[in-house]
Amino acid sequence: MTTTGATASKRRLTLLTHQVHYEQLSFWRNPQSAFFTFAFPVVVVAVFGGLFGGIGRSEFYYGRSALQYYVPTIAALSVLGSCFSQLAIVLANRRQNGILKRARATPLPASVHFAGLLAHCVLVSVVDVLLIAAVGRLYGVPLPSPAQWPALTLTLLLGASAFCALGVAVAAVIRNAEAAPSVVQLVLFPLVFISGTYMPIHSAALNTIAAALPVEPFNDALLHAFTTGHTGVPWRDYGVLLLWGTAGAAVAVRRFRWETGARAR
C-alpha cells in the first residue's frame, strides 16, 4: 500500500514537472509578451527612480524614502500582473479556443493542470521581483537582509497563491475572451489606486476599506519585508490574504468552466 502511494505521488510529481515545463515553453514562444512581462515593472521602477530618486525619508512615505516605498509596491504590482491579470486572461482565451476542453479530455488530472499553471505564474513573479529589487539597488534601495528573507519568501508565496486563486475565480465568471482584459482592469484598477500602489493613501476611510481587500495587505507585507531592520511579522496582512485566497479558490472550484457555454463544475 505504501509502495503504491509512493508510486502515485512520484507520478503526479512527474506530471506536474512536465506541466510546468509546458507552461514555460508556451510563455517563451511569445517572446514579445514575455519581454514586456519582465520589462514593464523594470521600466516603471527606472522611471520612478528618475522622478523620485532624490526624495529622502519623509512622513509622507511612512518614514521611508520614495524609492524604498515604491520598490515593494511595484514588486506587488508585478505579482498582480502575473498571478491575477495574466492568469485570468490566459484562462479565458484557452477556454474560448478549446484548449481547456482538450486538456480536460486527457488523462492529466485537473489538479495537476492548475498546479502547473500556478507554479509557472509564481516563477514569473519571483523573477519579476528579483529584477525590480536589482533595479532598486542601482538607485540605492537596500536589499532585504538575510534575516528578512523568510518573511519575504512567505509573503511572495502567500500573495502569489491568493492572487492566482482570485485570477481563476475571475476567469470563471468571464463569458468570453474579448471581455477578459476589460473585466480584469475593472477589478484591478480601483484596487491598485486605493491600496497605495502609486502613492501613499492618508485617508483613514480609504485605508480602512483597502485593509479589508487583498491588494493593500500584500503591499503592506512587502513593505515590511523590504524595510531594513524590520523584524515583525505582519500576521494581519497574512490573514487577509489567506481569507481572500480561500474565497477565490472556493469560487473557482464551484464556478470554473472548462469550455464555453458549459455548466460550471
Side-chain angles (χ1 to χ4, degrees):
M1 193 71 176
T2 303
T3 303
T4 303
T7 302
S9 298
K10 184 177 180 180
R11 179 174 178 274
R12 291 180 73 87
L13 181 59
T14 301
L15 289 173
L16 176 59
T17 303
H18 280 293
Q19 186 63 24
V20 174
H21 183 242
Y22 164 77
E23 296 296 343
Q24 286 285 304
L25 287 177
S26 299
F27 178 74
W28 288 107
R29 280 174 182 165
N30 188 345
Q32 187 175 35
S33 175
F35 173 78
F36 283 104
T37 296
F38 297 123
F40 176 73
V42 169
V43 169
V44 172
V45 174
V47 170
F48 278 31
L51 293 173
F52 307 113
I55 301 178
R57 296 175 181 271
S58 70
E59 288 302 315
F60 184 74
Y61 293 108
Y62 308 111
R64 302 172 174 87
S65 70
L67 286 186
Q68 284 177 329
Y69 179 86
Y70 284 124
V71 166
T73 60
I74 299 304
L77 183 62
S78 72
V79 175
L80 288 174
S82 299
C83 296
F84 178 76
S85 304
Q86 190 173 0
L87 179 59
I89 293 170
V90 164
L91 286 173
N93 276 283
R94 289 185 181 183
R95 181 171 57 224
Q96 184 159 308
N97 294 334
I99 296 174
L100 289 181
K101 180 181 179 181
R102 292 194 295 273
R104 185 61 167 162
T106 68
L108 182 71
S111 59
V112 174
H113 178 92
F114 275 102
L117 182 56
L118 302 188
H120 160 73
C121 292
V122 172
L123 286 173
V124 171
S125 298
V126 169
V127 174
D128 258 336
V129 172
L130 291 175
L131 288 172
I132 291 167
V135 175
R137 188 69 189 91
L138 295 177
Y139 286 96
V141 178
L143 297 173
S145 66
Q148 294 168 287
W149 291 351
L152 177 59
T153 301
L154 179 59
T155 298
L156 288 175
L157 289 177
L158 184 58
S161 300
F163 287 112
C164 280
L166 291 169
V168 178
V170 170
V173 299
I174 294 174
R175 294 188 176 182
N176 56 71
E178 290 76 15
S182 299
V183 172
V184 167
Q185 288 305 314
L186 179 64
V187 172
L188 195 59
F189 185 79
L191 282 178
V192 166
F193 274 92
I194 70 170
S195 299
T197 298
Y198 292 117
M199 66 180 68
I201 303 299
H202 294 282
S203 165
L206 280 180
N207 280 328
T208 300
I209 295 170
L213 300 172
V215 177
E216 194 274 342
F218 188 45
N219 283 345
D220 187 61
L222 278 181
L223 281 165
H224 278 79
F226 270 87
T227 301
T228 304
H230 194 281
T231 56
V233 178
W235 293 114
R236 183 188 180 284
D237 296 329
Y238 289 168
V240 174
L241 287 172
L242 184 61
L243 286 174
W244 276 99
T246 302
V251 172
V253 169
R254 185 175 180 84
R255 298 292 304 275
F256 190 78
R257 294 171 288 117
W258 289 83
E259 55 187 283
T260 304
R263 290 185 176 182
R265 57 196 178 97

